[in-house]
Amino acid sequence: MSRMLFTSESVTEGHPDKVCDKVSDAVLDAILAEDSSARVACESFCSTNIINIMGEISTKADINIEKIVRDTVCEIGYNDDSLGFNGNTCKVILNIDKQSPDIAMGVDSSLEYKDGIKDVYNLTGAGDQGMMFGYASNETPELMPMPVFLAHKLSKKLTDVRKSGEIGYLRPDGKTQVTIEYRDGKPYRADAIVVSTQHDDGVDIKTLRSDILQKVIKPIIPGELLDDETSVYINPTGRFVLGGPAGDTGLTGRKIIVDTYGGMARHGGGAFSGKDPTKVDRSAAYAARYVAKNIVAAGIADKCEIQIAYAIGVASPVSVMVDTFGTGKYADEKIAEAVKRVFDLRPAAIIDKLNLLRPIYTKTTNYGHFGRQDADFTWENTDKTEELKAAISEVI
């Protein structure tokens, strides 16, 4: 029997990096609501009572970015000067330019289209070079790795009990971490749970630890995963009053492992938040999850990782790779061939199939971009399983 411990973390929406992610996605959504053809690359950084919005945006939309920023920060929960960051009073600095024309010329008309291949999906070239990964595993019903899935649920619960007032002394910043023991490659038990949550000054640490255990951890972590050997750490330093942007600088795109698979799968490096779907960093990563999830849902493999790579200004991927880690029913190269027959992975085709030109991105910012049960998360659909099975039969 093989034994392995694997750990993943999550953070709440009040974490300074996630404040920036959410602000960037809120700006993107406001623009897409008025102009679905906009090109948006919006990044943010924040510190004590200041937030800077930067990027390249080309759009016909007429939006009030400063108001969007302030409303988003207040909605997260930073709405009082005593927290060191207040959406009502913080300084908002805007540094926005238009998309580079050198990039736009490759996105607006792909190399294939310029060469006379006038397919409608060749009209849009990839917005950058790069490689994107997608992953799925049958260890949870959502086909996600268990450590990151449970860490996200803990973070979401932390936010819920704070905003509902169930634990009224909590503040917006928080982090969670889950270590799962695997035996023979399958989740067996929870080895360690870590929850660190910001709180009001003067809160008794024993009260806080009891409340978090009873109202956050136990409702989320399945009882069969907990045993006498499970280590539980709740605010292990004993104090977490100074937090959020007042405690640490935040930056868009710095939580890419939290956003994806908690380290269980590889990551190409590109962040998601603040980017419109012509940026393959986002859209192709969503498509890769869509492909991997359908492979696992079809029973073709127990777990699957997909890599898709692009060249800037070129519509078709330069490579598609499948790795099933020895769990596939067929050779990985045969599965990859079936993937290419079933899925059109050109950027315009991805955008069309997954309906990505909608203002849906603010809700993706927190608790993971994958494994979520929400109709707007179209990349979580498993509607290609039968086509994949048929394609596999044709290529073997």
Side-chain angles (χ1 to χ4, degrees):
M1 179 181 295
S2 65
R3 179 178 180 270
M4 177 187 78
L5 299 178
F6 195 91
T7 302
S8 296
E9 71 164 349
S10 180
V11 297
T12 66
E13 61 190 64
H15 186 282
D17 293 333
K18 277 299 162 190
V19 170
C20 293
D21 281 348
K22 193 163 189 176
V23 164
S24 296
D25 274 334
V27 171
L28 170 63
D29 276 351
I31 292 171
L32 288 179
E34 294 187 17
D35 179 12
S36 62
S37 64
R39 301 287 163 73
V40 182
C42 180
E43 300 185 57
S44 312
F45 77 81
C46 64
S47 188
T48 304
N49 231 21
I50 185 171
I51 186 162
N52 195 324
I53 313 301
M54 309 157 290
E56 298 76 46
I57 299 176
S58 297
T59 183
K60 303 184 292 291
D62 182 16
I63 65 169
N64 186 336
I65 292 180
E66 180 175 338
K67 184 177 187 305
I68 293 166
V69 171
R70 294 190 184 281
D71 289 348
T72 302
V73 171
C74 288
E75 193 276 330
I76 290 170
Y78 292 116
N79 54 11
D80 189 278
D81 288 341
S82 66
L83 300 174
F85 196 65
N86 182 354
N88 297 304
T89 60
C90 67
K91 186 174 183 180
V92 178
I93 301 173
L94 304 181
N95 294 284
I96 305 293
D97 205 347
K98 293 183 178 180
Q99 184 181 58
S100 162
D102 295 346
I103 296 175
M105 66 184 294
V107 178
D108 293 339
S109 181
S110 75
L111 181 65
E112 295 97 324
Y113 202 83
K114 292 169 185 171
D115 285 345
I117 307 174
K118 301 300 184 181
D119 186 307
V120 64
Y121 288 149
N122 280 339
L123 186 58
T124 302
D128 201 353
Q129 70 176 50
M131 62 285 190
M132 295 80 212
F133 288 91
Y135 182 82
S137 168
N138 64 6
E139 62 192 66
T140 63
E142 295 78 11
L143 304 187
M144 285 290 287
M146 185 175 286
V148 72
F149 179 72
L150 291 176
H152 283 320
K153 291 188 74 173
L154 286 173
S155 288
K156 179 63 164 61
K157 189 65 172 178
L158 263 184
T159 299
D160 290 345
V161 297
R162 171 177 63 87
K163 288 190 169 182
S164 70
E166 186 177 356
I167 307 181
Y169 55 78
L170 297 185
R171 291 183 176 182
D173 198 358
K175 303 181 79 171
T176 64
Q177 186 171 283
V178 175
T179 301
I180 294 294
E181 178 184 334
Y182 286 78
R183 294 193 180 181
D184 291 336
K186 300 294 184 182
Y188 182 72
R189 57 180 289 276
D191 190 73
I193 310 292
V194 184
V195 176
S196 294
T197 179
Q198 189 186 14
H199 57 85
D200 290 345
D201 200 2
V203 173
D204 177 69
I205 187 62
K206 290 183 179 179
T207 299
L208 183 146
R209 287 172 175 165
S210 175
D211 283 346
I212 296 301
L213 179 63
Q214 298 301 326
K215 299 178 181 180
V216 175
I217 294 175
K218 287 189 175 180
I220 293 300
I221 305 298
E224 62 269 21
L225 293 179
L226 300 172
D227 58 32
D228 292 341
E229 300 300 315
T230 302
S231 299
V232 177
Y233 303 94
I234 300 170
N235 280 35
T237 68
R239 178 180 170 87
F240 186 4
V241 174
L242 182 64
D248 192 10
T249 299
L251 181 65
T252 297
R254 199 154 54 183
K255 286 292 178 284
I256 56 176
I257 301 303
V258 170
D259 286 343
T260 52
Y261 307 101
M264 187 69 79
R266 287 170 283 194
H267 196 292
F272 302 155
S273 291
K275 296 178 181 178
D276 77 80
T278 66
K279 279 73 171 174
V280 285
D281 281 342
R282 183 168 219 159
S283 55
Y286 290 178
R289 163 64 177 172
Y290 180 49
V291 174
K293 188 173 183 181
N294 272 270
I295 288 171
V296 174
I300 294 170
D302 291 340
K303 59 181 176 179
C304 179
E305 184 180 73
I306 304 290
Q307 185 200 60
I308 312 169
Y310 294 87
I312 187 169
V314 180
S316 296
V318 300
S319 69
V320 176
M321 181 277 292
V322 172
D323 186 353
T324 61
F325 308 95
T327 70
K329 292 183 177 179
Y330 312 95
D332 288 347
E333 60 267 26
K334 295 297 184 181
I335 301 174
E337 182 60 34
V339 165
K340 288 183 234 181
R341 293 189 180 202
V342 172
F343 296 91
D344 190 335
L345 296 172
R346 291 174 292 178
I350 293 171
I351 290 168
D352 184 33
K353 172 61 182 176
L354 300 182
N355 196 13
L356 297 180
L357 293 176
R358 297 170 293 143
I360 60 172
Y361 296 104
T362 304
K363 66 167 71 175
T364 70
T365 305
N366 298 108
Y367 320 117
H369 291 247
F370 308 123
R372 306 267 296 276
Q373 295 179 328
D374 187 305
D376 285 331
F377 287 53
T378 50
W379 49 93
E380 292 296 313
N381 292 338
T382 54
D383 55 345
K384 292 290 187 179
T385 56
E386 295 307 315
E387 287 182 64
L388 271 172
K389 291 175 186 177
I392 284 283
S393 299
E394 293 172 3
V395 300
I396 59 175

